Amino acid sequence: MRRTGFKGVIIFLGLTLCYVLGEADLGLDTRKPKILDGKNVPNNPTRHAVKSIQSEDGDIIDCIDIYKQPSLDHPSLKNHIIQKSGSCPKGTIPVVRRTHNDDELLSNSRKKSPLTVHQRNHSKAILLTEGYNYAGVKADIKVWNPHVESDDEYSTSRISLRSGPWYDFESVEVGWAVNPGVYGDRQTRLFAYWTVDASKKTGCFDLTCPGFVQTSHEIALGAAIYPISVFRGLPYQITLFIFKDPNTNNLWVQYGERTNIGYWPPKLFTTLTYGAECAEWGGDVYSSKLEQVPHTETQMGNGNFPDYIDGNSGYMKRMRILDISLNLKFPEWVGTYADEYWCYQSQYVSDYVVDPEFYFGGPGRNEMCP
């Protein structure tokens, strides 16, 4: 199968993340954002914004001093020196301001319901590799806007590094999410998440608690992704990479092959600092209505089961791990896994393609998943 090339561009202010297959023109968001005085914006947070930007999709993005970001309030990051590699001025970072019930959304974004023994609140359909020491994970992730049934549910497509037992693991992940409980809407948004105890007491999304240190002044975690893939239309995808810096042990998040968004400092972790035991690619649905009747109708991917013929489902391509010798390669061993096969499925494709591909997704409730 012939693989086509990619073109890409980043436009901040609404966070346009475009990767178009083939030679088609790039779909750029040409809408002009509004520049606001940070002192006069309604519901302005207590942090001091150097500049505030209002995009047409409803987001207000504050440009705050890079050394005043909330991540540096973590006790382990006291006196931390940042490793640095339309946008905010240099020396500031973009932070998406919640515009709907800020206090409640901020509280929700600082937690992620823990896995139970049977992972009853999470349903995954993933490709994973384990058994070695992994210093990074990477993929091209197709962008969709799945239906999320309730405000307390969410659907993500993400890559992840993980270490430790199922009941007390450390992990970092990055991808896109539809998460109304955190973001206050059902737009597809870029997210990052971390935990050091299987989400029991620690961890949060984006910059909503001390932990992740942002360095980019162009890309805002939590910002809306545009455009979105449409069946029989242009397929859009984002390229994301989590990798460990061998000199500092920082776990960096990179977008689009070249833009480092920021990093998790090693002092946040115990085992993950020295490498991950597992790398994952795929989807995750959170709901209290999993493994019961009626099942949630929250979709994974775009709501379709894996479709490697037309690509009309969630997919990951150009999947890579970074091994402990810093070789970026396809893993030597992979396996698929799905918590609820009749609701969400996973399919690994290695025959007839130059580079292995992974397809996943599902509708949730259906004839086989009542």
Side-chain angles (χ1 to χ4, degrees):
M1 177 181 293
R2 183 175 66 88
R3 294 183 61 84
T4 55
F6 294 88
K7 293 182 178 179
V9 67
I10 299 176
I11 293 184
F12 176 60
L13 312 178
L15 191 60
T16 299
L17 304 177
C18 311
Y19 269 79
V20 185
L21 291 171
E23 300 300 322
D25 292 336
L26 293 172
L28 304 183
D29 185 355
T30 58
R31 299 171 296 182
K32 293 183 179 180
K34 298 177 182 178
I35 308 300
L36 305 177
D37 181 348
K39 296 181 180 179
N40 297 318
V41 178
N43 299 319
N44 194 22
T46 56
R47 62 177 179 267
H48 298 287
V50 175
K51 181 174 73 173
S52 295
I53 303 164
Q54 185 173 33
S55 63
E56 292 295 333
D57 59 19
D59 286 342
I60 296 176
I61 300 171
D62 288 332
C63 303
I64 67 172
D65 188 293
I66 194 170
Y67 280 97
K68 293 182 180 179
Q69 59 182 294
S71 59
L72 298 182
D73 291 335
H74 195 284
S76 298
L77 303 184
K78 185 178 181 180
N79 300 322
H80 181 74
I81 298 176
I82 295 175
Q83 287 87 48
K84 293 184 182 180
S85 16
S87 63
C88 284
K90 290 185 178 180
T92 69
I93 62 167
V95 178
V96 177
R97 185 189 308 169
R98 314 298 170 218
T99 58
H100 308 84
N101 197 349
D102 287 357
D103 291 339
E104 180 181 352
L105 295 179
L106 183 61
S107 176
N108 289 338
S109 65
R110 289 178 174 175
K111 63 185 179 182
K112 187 177 184 183
S113 297
L115 299 175
T116 62
V117 174
H118 302 292
Q119 297 185 339
R120 192 164 296 164
N121 292 331
H122 286 261
S123 191
K124 292 183 179 181
I126 59 173
L127 182 76
L128 73 158
T129 184
E130 56 186 352
Y132 295 91
N133 193 326
Y134 304 100
V137 59
K138 184 178 183 181
D140 297 335
I141 309 174
K142 193 169 186 177
V143 179
W144 296 100
N145 183 245
H147 167 70
V148 172
E149 181 178 0
S150 303
D151 288 349
D152 60 351
E153 301 179 348
Y154 61 75
S155 179
T156 71
S157 292
R158 85 291 186 273
I159 57 175
S160 177
L161 291 176
R162 176 171 159 171
S163 285
W166 64 265
Y167 55 86
D168 196 31
F169 60 84
E170 299 180 349
S171 72
V172 293
E173 53 187 85
V174 62
W176 60 256
V178 177
N179 191 336
V182 168
Y183 301 116
D185 58 30
R186 282 172 166 75
Q187 294 192 77
T188 302
R189 294 178 177 272
L190 181 71
F191 85 94
Y193 181 83
W194 67 276
T195 181
V196 296
D197 60 359
S199 300
K200 292 191 289 290
K201 294 182 179 180
T202 67
C204 64
F205 289 88
D206 307 336
L207 304 180
T208 54
C209 75
F212 187 85
V213 179
Q214 179 152 338
T215 58
S216 172
H217 67 283
E218 296 178 311
I219 296 181
L221 290 175
I225 300 176
Y226 173 87
I228 302 297
S229 299
V230 177
F231 181 51
R232 301 198 185 283
L234 291 174
Y236 294 95
Q237 61 190 41
I238 56 176
T239 301
L240 293 170
F241 185 21
I242 303 173
F243 66 95
K244 187 178 76 165
D245 182 332
N247 297 316
T248 64
N249 285 331
N250 292 329
L251 283 168
W252 282 89
V253 173
Q254 183 183 89
Y255 165 77
E257 311 282 3
R258 61 182 180 180
T259 302
N260 291 337
I261 299 175
Y263 60 89
W264 290 281
K267 289 184 178 180
L268 296 176
F269 308 102
T270 301
T271 60
L272 203 57
T273 297
Y274 304 101
E277 298 172 356
C278 176
E280 294 182 359
W281 303 261
D284 179 17
V285 166
Y286 172 78
S287 172
S288 60
K289 295 181 289 185
L290 300 172
E291 297 185 1
Q292 60 178 283
V293 178
H295 192 279
T296 181
E297 291 183 343
T298 292
Q299 300 173 341
M300 181 187 295
N302 70 342
N304 291 326
F305 289 120
D307 178 6
Y308 71 92
I309 301 297
D310 294 320
N312 187 25
S313 66
Y315 75 50
M316 303 263 181
K317 296 185 177 180
R318 288 202 306 158
M319 297 168 291
R320 298 289 185 271
I321 56 96
L322 187 68
D323 67 20
I324 202 64
S325 299
L326 303 183
N327 297 311
L328 191 62
K329 63 182 183 181
F330 189 80
E332 298 177 14
W333 175 92
V334 295
T336 60
Y337 173 79
D339 282 307
E340 300 176 290
Y341 179 79
W342 301 115
C343 310
Y344 312 105
Q345 297 178 8
S346 56
Q347 184 175 25
Y348 174 63
V349 178
S350 59
D351 297 332
Y352 313 114
V353 293
V354 175
D355 206 334
E357 300 171 353
F358 176 60
Y359 295 81
F360 62 93
R365 189 189 313 164
N366 64 82
E367 293 181 356
M368 300 300 295
C369 176

